[in-house]
Amino acid sequence: MTITSPSPKTTAVSPTTVEPKLEALLNRVETSLADELVPVDIFNEETVFRAEMEQIFTRTWVFVAHESEIPRAGDFVQRRIGVDPVIVTRTGEGRINVLSNYCRHRGSQVCQTDSGNSRFFKCPYHGWTYSNDGELVGTPMMHHAYGEKLDPKDWSLMRAPRVESRQGFVFASLSEEVPTLDEFLGGAGWMLDLIVGLHPDGMRVAGPPDRYKVKADWKTAAENFAGDVYHVPNLHWSTEEIKVSQGLQGTAEIGRAYEFENGHNFMGHAWTKAIHPGFVLWGYPPEITEQFDLSGLDEAGRFVVDHEPPTVGTIFPNLSFIRFLTPATPGGPVSVVTSFRQWQPIGPGEMELWSWQFVWNFESEESAQQAYVTGQFVFGSAGIFEQDDTVAWEGVPRAAASPWMRKEQMNFHFQMGRKSPVDQSPDPDWTGPGIHRNTGYGEHTQLNFYRHWLRVMKGGDAKSAQPAESTQHIEQNGGRA
Ligand code: FES
Ligand code: FE
């Protein structure tokens, strides 16, 4: 759905050329990736970071807000596309705009607050004033300063040329030359529908996002949520020890990989096999599931939500998701928690983690509150899972900055599937989009993420074909992919 109009001022960004030093590194990434390795350098390197901001974040769809954050005319939130601050506004006509938060006079940020409701934004420096669709509507002391009205066509806020939404998730692109959001999402859009579209009223944010800085590269988090189930029984073992979790050891075995075009990936779990045949729909209680409308689901979608629902996922480049059933305290009441999170790049090896809790619009306040509190307990900024992950991720940029590791041209290891006896081949009976595998072993989702990252970094267009299969696996596993 397109929800914005062109003008007053749009910006289109063309692919940039790759500078020689970066090109050499990307060639090394290409060679390494063919061998299912990733050079350490890409996780803390100024040239890589700058290229990511230019090649990826100005040339593809990036999540900016959920519509439930700006439900009324005049509502706005301040967000980011890569390192650029943007204001996401809803105008009096209900249109959503994504505006550059840089004043056209001399570059001050015209909006200094995280969220609010306003028809205008007045720059704090000299007072140029813009309407909430970005148009320049006021310049102090206009007659003496400029003699005549400045033309809004030339001096309004820059506006993202493409803004579209799916299931209330608003994405913007700083390039006009992108496919539609639905085309870009592909199979990930189908999965998003399964996650938040099972009730016609949909889901909403339960509050503003938690935000905190992590000394880790944004890709490390995106890759983890793309489907790293290998870390769960190790890094999060303390949650099993205090009886918040159970059966973590089987996380990879019951994992179910979903790989889609354009670097999008999800990882589900075969809960009906692992827990109980009746444990369908993420384990939501009957008072919730009774209100779901499953009538529009295709065969694959119905199978997924009943038997192998997604637990985590990453929509390229930096929007991730997690949903699972957990108690709020050991032995306490359980809730299904849903969080969407965004890995906001700050600089090489540093990001800001933004995480939103989501609840169903139709559920009672009491139920929503319990889901929110439980979500904060596990995946809030002090959540017992969240802290485990962020501490582990912070080692990556340190390794990437290490002169020793660079001298040795160290690679990170993504070869899990090579000699594994576990069948990781794409499921031949799968009728849904993309690739489905009946295991979480193999690191296929992470590789799918990095292959797309490389493609876009090398200047390829932001839309790729179906997820690429690794020829290495086919050769080494005797014909099985
Ligand atoms: Fe905004 Fe001067 S920088 S009015
Ligand atoms: Fe984790």
Side-chain angles (χ1 to χ4, degrees), residues 166-418:
R166 179 139 175 179
Q167 297 287 356
F169 288 75
V170 182
F171 291 74
S173 169
L174 300 184
S175 168
E176 291 200 70
E177 294 153 23
V178 286
T180 66
L181 177 64
D182 287 345
E183 285 172 333
F184 169 73
L185 292 174
W190 176 84
M191 195 62 102
L192 189 62
D193 293 346
L194 297 182
I195 292 168
V196 298
L198 295 184
H199 190 280
D201 294 346
M203 299 192 85
R204 63 179 162 83
V205 295
D210 279 14
R211 305 188 327 191
Y212 45 100
K213 288 183 180 171
V214 183
K215 286 195 164 52
D217 188 81
W218 67 274
K219 297 187 292 300
T220 299
E223 161 213 313
N224 175 290
F225 273 73
D228 186 328
V229 278
Y230 187 43
H231 79 285
V232 176
N234 187 61
L235 185 63
H236 300 303
W237 184 250
S238 62
T239 65
E240 181 125 351
E241 287 181 328
I242 62 168
K243 301 199 175 359
V244 166
S245 305
Q246 277 179 41
L248 292 187
Q249 203 60 43
T251 312
E253 192 182 323
I254 64 164
R256 298 293 185 264
Y258 301 99
E259 297 146 51
F260 301 119
E261 63 270 61
N262 301 326
H264 312 311
N265 298 277
F266 287 78
M267 179 65 69
H269 286 94
W271 298 123
T272 51
K273 273 206 174 114
I275 298 177
H276 185 273
F279 193 90
V280 296
L281 291 156
W282 292 272
Y284 273 115
E287 59 268 27
I288 297 283
T289 56
E290 279 161 7
Q291 299 190 63
F292 285 159
D293 177 6
L294 309 178
S295 61
L297 301 187
D298 56 24
E299 184 194 346
R302 183 66 205 238
F303 174 78
V304 168
V305 297
D306 273 348
H307 299 289
E308 302 180 350
T311 309
V312 292
T314 292
I315 292 176
F316 190 90
N318 67 334
L319 177 66
S320 292
F321 147 83
I322 185 162
R323 172 182 284 167
F324 68 113
L325 179 78
T326 181
T329 52
V334 295
S335 283
V336 177
V337 303
T338 302
S339 167
F340 280 83
R341 50 247 333 279
Q342 195 167 28
W343 323 109
Q344 305 281 18
I346 293 178
E350 191 173 10
M351 67 170 171
E352 195 167 273
L353 192 168
W354 294 39
S355 87
W356 293 257
Q357 300 287 337
F358 275 71
V359 295
W360 294 99
N361 273 317
F362 67 82
E363 72 184 304
S364 69
E365 266 311 305
E366 188 188 358
S367 164
Q369 181 70 10
Q370 185 183 307
Y372 177 77
V373 170
T374 308
Q376 293 303 99
F377 174 69
V378 286
F379 271 101
S381 54
I384 59 167
F385 280 84
E386 192 92 307
Q387 294 176 72
D388 295 340
D389 289 305
T390 51
V391 168
W393 296 343
E394 290 189 347
V396 178
R398 289 201 284 267
S402 155
W404 186 8
M405 298 302 114
R406 287 193 176 219
K407 174 172 166 286
E408 299 293 338
Q409 297 214 331
M410 188 171 96
N411 284 312
F412 288 143
H413 185 280
F414 289 85
Q415 298 179 327
M416 182 190 282
R418 292 200 154 195

Side-chain angles (χ1 to χ4, degrees), residues 436-452:
H436 170 257
R437 297 178 207 266
N438 285 307
T439 181
Y441 285 116
E443 295 171 333
H444 300 278
T445 54
Q446 293 103 310
L447 287 166
N448 186 37
F449 173 86
Y450 283 118
R451 288 189 188 111
H452 187 69

Side-chain angles (χ1 to χ4, degrees), residues 34-88:
D35 210 18
E36 293 161 351
L37 300 168
V38 175
V40 63
D41 314 42
I42 68 167
F43 297 97
N44 195 347
E45 169 63 50
E46 181 66 42
T47 53
V48 170
F49 183 81
R50 207 171 58 241
E52 285 174 339
M53 296 308 103
E54 290 170 3
Q55 298 284 57
I56 298 175
F57 285 86
T58 66
R59 294 178 53 224
T60 195
W61 289 102
V62 177
F63 170 75
V64 289
H66 191 265
E67 286 187 42
S68 61
E69 296 181 275
I70 46 170
R72 299 168 303 149
D75 284 349
F76 69 87
V77 287
Q78 196 185 157
R79 290 293 146 80
R80 295 170 49 177
I81 296 178
V83 289
D84 275 309
V86 295
I87 321 167
V88 185

